[in-house]
Amino acid sequence: MSQSITEGEHVQHVVVLGGSIAGMAAARALRSLGKRVTVVEPDGLAATVARGGVPQSGQLHALLDMGRTQAERWFPGLSKDLVAEGAVLGSGSEIQLFSRGRRKVSVPGNELIGVSRGLLEEHIRRRTLLDDGVSVTAGKASGLEVRDARVVGVRVRAAGSDEVHLVPADAVVDATGRSSRLASWLREEGWPEPPVDRMRIDLGYATARFRRGHELPDVRVAHQLPPAANGTGAQPDTGAMAAVEGDQWMAVIAAYAGLRPTRDPAEFRRRMREMDAGPFGVVADRCELIGEVETYSMAHSLRRRWWEVERLPGGLFVVGDAVASFNPVYGQGMTSALLHASCLAAYLRKGADLHAPADAYFHHIRVVVNAAWEISTLSDLAQPHVTGPYPRGYRTARRMAEWMEEASTTDAWVNERFLDVVNMRRRPADLQTPRFWWRVAMARARR
């Protein structure tokens, strides 16, 4: 995918901080434009080893439909290769969505792939590192080198050492995740920090693996959706399960505050049985639990509004959770990261100067970030322990979300468009057309 380089031509060098999916996708996007890339990753990039920098790697992850489209763009044939190693592609009625005790009408053509994050990352890392234009430095970034109003390098502490050395660069991409220290590095260099939005959600989730047999031959994915926000009290458990490689089911349960799930296997099975979505109870009753229940917690959703910073050094980009990390119940993280890589490629392909401030890039990703933020925070704000901030028109938006959820349960046309937004194929604003709300009204009248 990389562009050919004329002999003697200077090849611009970009350092990508972080070797997770966001960093790998950014590296592929940069290579498609002929840039030389160095990935700086504290854990190294051993393809078969779970990295300490991703403590949630054992949880069930979702690659939404738009995410899979973008992944195929940067890693052609990825889905086919994953399925060849046991990942499971589900479509249509094999994907069962449940809301308020009712199964939603299926949408023909809707597809999801069931795969563990470990296998997905292994394939993405391996494909990225096969490119001779990508190298890896095992170490941890500790600061930026900024000269003449642009980034010229990164200070890196070598793995297992206190030695710090400078890695020169024409540009730097921060893909270090929600714990990114980029804002503090900029402050130390005399640059402004981005405004930050935090919404405390106090979410806990737990994932368990089960031996998969023939107990659910027509199910590949089941999801008990979070109910439309009604603000009347704590919401019931949200859950998802998917058939993945190794003839296994991966199931996740998510809940808030004092209802967060624990590592107790008996409790996990009980909560699966209590789900309105029937497939959870079938797996709980008939399938052998493999290993231990893994838990993870997330205190708050986070959005750094880089597009509002008036002055940034040239040659600086941010992707993935380093920009924004959302409630994982909605599965937007990996898809957002892949979309950011596409935004980066589009920005540079238009001829943008790599050394200049990337204002247009940050305004481009703002659309992706704000769409995902709007979807996730609308439901979170209904939780009694979530105290805002509430956006303008929140009460009206909440009521409309309830109507939409009700209509999408029985009307395939409404559900298809609703899933387009959930899967990040369309923006939330695309649900505001007169035709859409006429269909919502008709579906509610029929019920």
Side-chain angles (χ1 to χ4, degrees), residues 1-21:
M1 293 181 63
S2 60
Q3 294 179 342
S4 60
I5 303 298
T6 304
E7 185 175 353
E9 180 183 348
H10 170 68
V11 180
Q12 292 181 314
H13 175 225
V14 182
V15 175
V16 175
L17 307 179
S20 191
I21 289 174

Side-chain angles (χ1 to χ4, degrees), residues 54-73:
V54 190
Q56 75 276 27
S57 61
Q59 301 295 323
L60 176 62
H61 285 71
L63 184 58
L64 303 178
D65 188 63
M66 176 54 79
R68 194 159 64 89
T69 298
Q70 297 300 318
E72 288 287 339
R73 174 185 181 184

Side-chain angles (χ1 to χ4, degrees), residues 8 27 31 35 70 87 92-93 181 205 225 261 322 357 368 403 405 444:
R31 286 297 296 143
K35 314 302 181 186
Q70 297 300 318
S93 61
R181 297 186 58 224
Y205 51 105
L225 300 168
V368 176
W403 294 342
E405 179 189 54
R444 295 186 72 239

Side-chain angles (χ1 to χ4, degrees), residues 78-380:
L78 177 64
S79 296
K80 181 180 178 181
D81 289 350
L82 291 171
V83 170
E85 291 203 29
V88 181
L89 181 64
S91 64
S93 61
E94 296 174 330
I95 302 170
Q96 299 188 2
L97 309 179
F98 294 81
S99 176
R100 297 187 179 184
R102 300 185 63 182
R103 180 180 165 186
K104 283 194 170 190
V105 61
S106 298
V107 174
N110 186 32
E111 292 186 341
L112 284 172
I113 190 165
V115 60
S116 69
R117 174 162 180 156
L119 181 60
L120 178 62
E121 275 204 354
E122 178 183 339
H123 274 262
I124 286 177
R125 289 182 222 156
R126 185 167 62 212
R127 283 171 172 244
T128 303
L129 299 180
L130 282 173
D131 189 332
D132 291 338
V134 178
S135 59
V136 178
T137 294
K140 184 175 183 179
S142 59
L144 297 176
E145 187 80 9
V146 182
R147 298 179 198 152
D148 299 325
R150 77 173 183 88
V151 176
V152 297
V154 183
R155 292 187 287 275
V156 176
R157 179 177 291 106
S161 169
D162 291 331
E163 178 185 353
V164 176
H165 63 282
L166 180 68
V167 180
D170 290 287
V172 171
V173 178
D174 179 17
T176 56
R178 61 183 284 120
S179 60
S180 167
R181 297 186 58 224
L182 178 59
S184 61
W185 295 343
L186 289 173
R187 184 179 66 247
E188 292 168 3
E189 297 285 341
W191 295 87
E193 300 177 62
V196 177
D197 297 318
R198 287 185 177 85
M199 179 174 290
R200 184 165 185 83
I201 59 175
D202 197 14
L203 175 76
Y205 51 105
T207 292
R209 292 175 179 255
F210 295 86
R211 190 76 61 196
R212 176 163 55 91
H214 301 288
E215 59 283 332
L216 291 168
D218 300 322
V219 179
R220 299 292 180 266
V221 176
H223 191 182
Q224 177 150 312
L225 300 168
N230 57 30
T232 59
Q235 303 294 323
D237 288 347
T238 296
M241 53 177 270
V244 300
E245 72 275 7
D247 295 324
Q248 296 179 11
W249 292 107
M250 288 187 73
V252 63
I253 295 173
Y256 296 90
L259 298 177
R260 290 177 296 179
T262 70
R263 297 172 61 90
D264 181 2
E267 177 199 306
F268 195 93
R269 287 185 186 272
R270 174 183 60 77
R271 294 174 80 149
M272 288 183 72
R273 294 186 186 101
E274 292 173 354
M275 293 276 190
D276 292 328
F280 286 87
V282 172
V283 170
D285 288 335
R286 301 187 191 178
C287 297
E288 173 193 356
L289 181 67
I290 303 171
E292 298 180 347
V293 177
E294 296 190 35
T295 58
Y296 188 73
S297 61
M298 183 172 175
H300 57 264
S301 297
L302 176 71
R303 176 175 60 174
R304 298 179 174 101
R305 303 198 304 272
W306 287 101
W307 47 89
E308 293 184 12
V309 181
E310 294 182 358
R311 186 172 61 94
L312 284 172
L316 182 64
F317 303 88
V318 191
V319 297
D321 283 0
V323 181
S325 56
F326 318 97
N327 185 331
V329 163
Y330 307 100
Q332 300 161 314
M334 291 192 295
T335 297
S336 292
L338 289 158
L339 283 167
H340 296 170
S342 295
C343 290
L344 175 61
Y347 167 76
L348 294 175
R349 192 170 287 117
K350 291 178 180 178
D353 181 0
L354 190 65
H355 296 154
D359 297 335
Y361 163 75
F362 286 111
H363 281 281
H364 196 174
I365 65 169
R366 173 176 59 99
V367 176
V368 176
V369 172
N370 288 349
W373 184 265
E374 180 180 340
I375 291 170
S376 65
T377 57
L378 181 62
S379 291
D380 291 338

